[in-house]
Amino acid sequence: MKFAIIKERKNPPDRRVVFSPQALAILNNKYPEAEVVVEASDIRVFPDNDYKTLGFLVTEDITDADILFGVKEVPVEALIPNKKYFFFSHTIKKQPYNRKLLKAILEKNIELYDHETIVRQTGSRLIGFGRYAGLVGAYNGFRALGLRDKLFNLPKVETLKDLDAVKAELDKITLPNIKIVLSGTGKVAKGAREILDHLKIKQVSDALYLTSQFSEPVYCMADVMEYNKRADGKVGEKYEFYKDPSGYVSNFMPYAKETDMFIAGHFYGDGSPFLFTREDARHPDFRINLVADISCDIDGPVACTIRPSTIADPFYGYDPITEKEVAYNAKNAITVMAVDNLPCELPKDASEGFGELFLEHVIPAFFNDDERGILKRARITTADGKLTRRFAYLQDYVDGKV
C-alpha cells in the first residue's frame, strides 16, 4: 500500500496539508508496511525539506501511489485515473460548480472519499477543520469590531505564525461592554468559544442573557433548541428537529434584541428555519450590529450574509433598510465577516490538528479491514466508474438534470 501527499493546485493557493511531517512520521512508525511519498510543492506550509529531513521521498511523480491525500478539489486535468483520492470535493450537496469534477472522477474510474463523508455510524463527522474555522472566525469578528469602532488594531491572522501568536495579540486588547451570542455547539462553535474564553469574557446562561444587562462583556452559547421552537407551542426535541425541521420556527429574535455581536457557528440543515430574515433585521428592536458568520450560508439563515468575503477583504456592511451592501463601517449598517475559507489563515495549526484526527480515525481502517465501516461510508464512487449506493442520489446531478 502506497500513500501520497499531493500538491494543492486550486486557486487561490491553499497552504494546508493532510499530514504534517511529524504526523507522517507517526504513521510510518505505527504502520511500517505502508510506503509514503510526498509530491513536491512550493506553496505548502511545511517546506519539502521538512519531509526530506524525516526521511520521506519528495518527488514530482506520484503516479505509482495507490491512495492520494489532498485538502481542496483536484483540478480535472490533474486527476490520475484508477486511484483512490481523499479531498474535499464539494459535490455531495450537488454544487453546480463541481459537477464536471465528479463526472471526470467517474470517467477516470477513481474511488473518491470526501473528508466531509468520513463520519460515525450516527452520521456525525469525524474529521475536519471546524475548530480552526471557529478560532479564526471569532478572532476576525473582534478584529472587525476594533477597526470599525477605532478601539484597537488586531493584525490579520495570516500574518501571524501560529495560534499562540493569535492569542498573544488578543492579550493586548480591551473590549467594550458588549453582549455576544454564539450559535452552535459543534467543533466550529467550540473553536470560537476558545477565543471568547481566552479573552476572559464571562459565559452566562441563556435565561440570564435574555433578561439582564451587565457591566462587563458577556456571551452565551445558543443551541439549536434555544433559537428554534415548535410552531404548535409544544416542547421541541433536538433529534426530531434534525430529522424533520418543517414543524419549527425561529426563536432567534429574543437574542437579536439583546445582542451586539453575533458569532454564527451553527450547522444549518436543509429546510431549517432562518435564524433571522431581512424583515427581522429591519425591526426597531433588532440590536445586532456585527456578525462573524463562520457558517457562511449565502442569502440564507443569517439575512445579512449576502455574499462570502475573502481573506484579503474580509468585511463588508449590510444596510437593513435598503438590503444592499455598504461599507463595513457605514452608519447603521450591520458589519459582516463571512470569509468562507477561514482555516487557510492558520495553515500550520489547522494541518497539524487535521492530521491528528486523520491518524486516529481513518488510517487504522486501511489496516484493520475497515472494521468500523469508516471507508465504506465515506466512499462516493467505485473503481468501475459508478456511484456507491449511499450516494446514488447524485446521479441526476452527474447527468446534468439538476
Side-chain angles (χ1 to χ4, degrees):
M1 193 179 299
K2 190 168 186 176
F3 298 125
I5 307 301
I6 63 176
K7 176 180 178 176
E8 296 297 321
R9 290 176 165 84
K10 189 177 179 184
N11 274 318
D14 193 319
R15 303 182 67 212
R16 292 174 296 170
V17 64
V18 174
F19 291 114
S20 68
Q22 290 73 23
L24 269 196
I26 293 169
L27 190 160
N28 227 20
N29 288 335
K30 198 166 183 181
Y31 304 103
E33 63 269 43
E35 190 179 345
V36 185
V37 295
V38 179
E39 187 175 11
S41 170
D42 54 353
I43 59 165
R44 194 179 289 131
V45 66
F46 302 102
D48 289 347
N49 207 48
D50 288 5
Y51 291 94
K52 290 177 184 174
T53 300
L54 291 178
F56 294 104
L57 173 66
V58 177
T59 174
E60 302 281 351
D61 183 8
I62 55 165
T63 52
D64 61 342
D66 307 299
I67 301 157
L68 286 70
F69 298 125
V71 177
K72 298 300 280 284
E73 299 101 311
V74 176
V76 168
E77 64 275 10
L79 289 168
I80 306 170
N82 308 306
K83 302 293 181 186
K84 292 181 172 71
Y85 271 94
F86 285 74
F87 58 84
F88 287 107
S89 70
H90 297 117
T91 57
I92 61 172
K93 294 180 182 177
K94 302 185 178 182
Q95 291 94 325
Y97 55 90
N98 277 336
R99 188 179 76 86
K100 287 180 182 176
L101 173 62
L102 186 54
K103 199 172 178 183
I105 286 166
L106 290 164
E107 289 168 355
K108 292 173 185 281
N109 295 327
I110 288 168
E111 287 186 47
L112 173 64
Y113 300 79
D114 192 305
H115 297 311
E116 210 170 334
T117 64
I118 298 170
V119 296
R120 293 181 177 86
Q121 219 162 356
T122 58
S124 60
R125 286 176 60 178
L126 285 165
I127 61 168
F129 292 101
R131 177 191 171 215
Y132 300 94
L135 287 162
V136 178
Y139 175 97
N140 282 354
F142 289 111
R143 182 168 178 264
L145 177 71
L147 290 171
R148 185 192 67 187
D149 297 349
K150 298 181 170 58
L151 299 170
F152 43 79
N153 193 349
L154 287 169
K156 284 190 171 187
V157 173
E158 64 174 344
T159 67
L160 302 172
K161 182 185 176 186
D162 53 23
L163 183 56
D164 289 339
V166 167
K167 291 181 174 179
E169 290 296 332
L170 292 172
D171 291 337
K172 302 172 186 176
I173 69 172
T174 301
L175 290 174
N177 180 18
I178 58 173
K179 293 176 78 173
I180 303 164
V181 66
L182 167 61
S183 62
T185 53
K187 291 183 177 67
V188 170
K190 286 173 182 173
R193 185 175 66 180
E194 208 174 315
I195 295 296
L196 298 173
D197 291 344
H198 183 82
L199 284 164
K200 297 183 172 57
I201 303 171
K202 287 194 177 166
Q203 182 176 4
V204 297
S205 69
D206 295 83
L208 200 58
Y209 185 90
L210 293 172
T211 57
S212 307
Q213 298 305 314
F214 302 89
S215 58
E216 61 183 326
V218 298
Y219 79 92
C220 79
M221 285 185 82
D223 195 5
V224 65
M225 283 294 99
E226 268 93 57
Y227 58 82
N228 290 294
K229 62 182 179 182
R230 276 181 56 149
D232 60 9
K234 293 181 180 178
V235 177
E237 205 278 318
K238 183 187 284 192
Y239 295 103
E240 172 195 74
F241 175 86
Y242 289 149
K243 192 174 179 181
D244 179 13
S246 60
Y248 286 77
V249 294
S250 174
N251 192 34
F252 188 75
M253 274 303 283
Y255 293 94
K257 293 174 181 179
E258 291 291 332
T259 296
D260 302 293
M261 178 178 178
F262 170 33
I263 303 175
H266 56 267
F267 170 77
Y268 179 73
D270 289 343
S272 299
F274 286 3
L275 277 80
F276 67 87
T277 64
R278 295 185 178 196
E279 186 179 354
D280 292 332
R282 286 195 295 274
H283 194 285
D285 295 336
F286 190 91
R287 179 168 149 186
I288 296 170
N289 59 61
L290 196 157
V291 174
D293 192 350
I294 304 166
S295 299
C296 198
D297 294 294
I298 305 307
D299 211 16
V302 178
C304 54
T305 303
I306 53 177
R307 68 168 175 87
S309 54
T310 63
I311 292 171
D313 190 12
F315 314 127
Y316 60 87
Y318 172 78
D319 185 328
I321 305 303
T322 64
E323 300 183 2
K324 302 290 185 186
E325 181 177 333
V326 292
Y328 80 94
N329 55 359
K331 189 178 180 183
N332 299 323
I334 300 172
T335 301
V336 179
M337 188 294 305
V339 176
D340 61 359
N341 58 342
L342 288 161
C344 295
E345 296 195 59
L346 207 59
K348 180 177 181 292
D349 294 84
S351 297
E352 288 171 345
F354 191 89
E356 286 173 16
L357 293 171
F358 210 94
L359 277 172
E360 178 185 354
H361 296 294
V362 185
I363 293 299
F366 290 105
F367 301 94
N368 64 18
D369 200 28
D370 194 23
E371 63 182 20
R372 292 169 58 201
I374 302 287
L375 300 177
K376 183 181 178 183
R377 285 191 294 274
R379 189 170 64 147
I380 296 175
T381 60
T382 66
D384 58 352
K386 293 182 175 63
L387 291 164
T388 60
R389 184 181 300 177
R390 188 180 180 93
F391 295 96
Y393 71 90
L394 294 172
Q395 191 62 57
D396 59 351
Y397 165 64
V398 171
D399 295 340
K401 294 176 182 176
V402 290

